[in-house]
Amino acid sequence: MKNGSLSQNGNKKPEDTRKSIGRRGEEFAAMFLQEKGFRLIDQNWRCLFGEIDLIVQRGEEVRFIEVKSRRSRTYGLPQESVTRTKLRHLARSIEWWISRHPHPPTHYQVDVVALLWENGTWNIEWIEGVL
């Protein structure tokens, strides 16, 4: 075992996993958007077509947020992983959410919050209106 990087069962510590960086990124993105005046409606909403990371609202406007987090630039910037296929699945998930919501929004859009963990801090890029 090197520097305590593995647990007793040989798995990486939870804070080292991709899932963990993604979860922390979503938490940071939610706080970032709340500081911008949005109220969190839902997080990690799932349906047959996929998942919506964050659903936030400010006034009458609803935003569906795709959050992408990375620990390095090795495989490119986080936002580069938002593919056409991902956007298509996201659009179908949004349609599903709207069709089942008791008070569907009159105005909504899709944004990407891209987070890069560098030097102990999150670098954030908020890309509005991708759909």
Side-chain angles (χ1 to χ4, degrees):
M1 188 179 337
K2 292 183 180 180
N3 299 328
S5 62
L6 297 178
S7 66
Q8 289 179 356
N9 63 8
N11 294 328
K12 287 185 177 184
K13 289 182 179 179
E15 64 268 19
D16 294 336
T17 65
R18 272 191 314 148
K19 204 174 240 186
S20 176
I21 212 73
R23 185 175 16 81
R24 287 187 286 153
E26 283 181 6
E27 291 168 4
F28 184 82
M31 289 187 306
F32 170 80
L33 292 165
Q34 288 170 338
E35 289 174 0
K36 302 292 183 192
F38 288 93
R39 179 177 58 87
L40 184 64
I41 296 173
D42 211 339
Q43 187 167 356
N44 300 319
W45 186 86
R46 289 181 174 87
C47 71
L48 177 66
F49 304 110
E51 178 181 354
I52 303 171
D53 293 331
L54 301 173
I55 304 171
V56 297
Q57 182 173 11
R58 182 171 59 190
E60 296 299 314
E61 177 183 33
V62 173
R63 304 258 182 124
F64 299 93
I65 311 294
E66 177 66 19
V67 179
K68 290 296 182 186
S69 307
R70 292 214 173 143
R71 289 181 289 202
S72 75
R73 298 171 188 252
T74 303
Y75 299 105
L77 296 173
Q79 58 269 34
E80 293 172 343
S81 65
V82 181
T83 64
R84 286 186 203 169
T85 301
K86 175 61 185 172
L87 291 174
R88 190 170 48 251
H89 287 271
L90 189 55
R92 293 182 79 190
S93 297
I94 290 166
E95 289 172 10
W96 187 267
W97 185 88
I98 289 172
S99 72
R100 278 141 184 83
H101 199 272
H103 304 288
T106 55
H107 178 71
Y108 66 92
Q109 71 180 44
V110 179
D111 298 347
V112 172
V113 173
L115 298 160
L116 187 60
W117 183 253
E118 292 183 309
N119 302 319
T121 188
W122 288 112
N123 292 315
I124 187 165
E125 186 167 349
W126 181 14
I127 305 160
E128 299 184 68
V130 298
L131 276 182

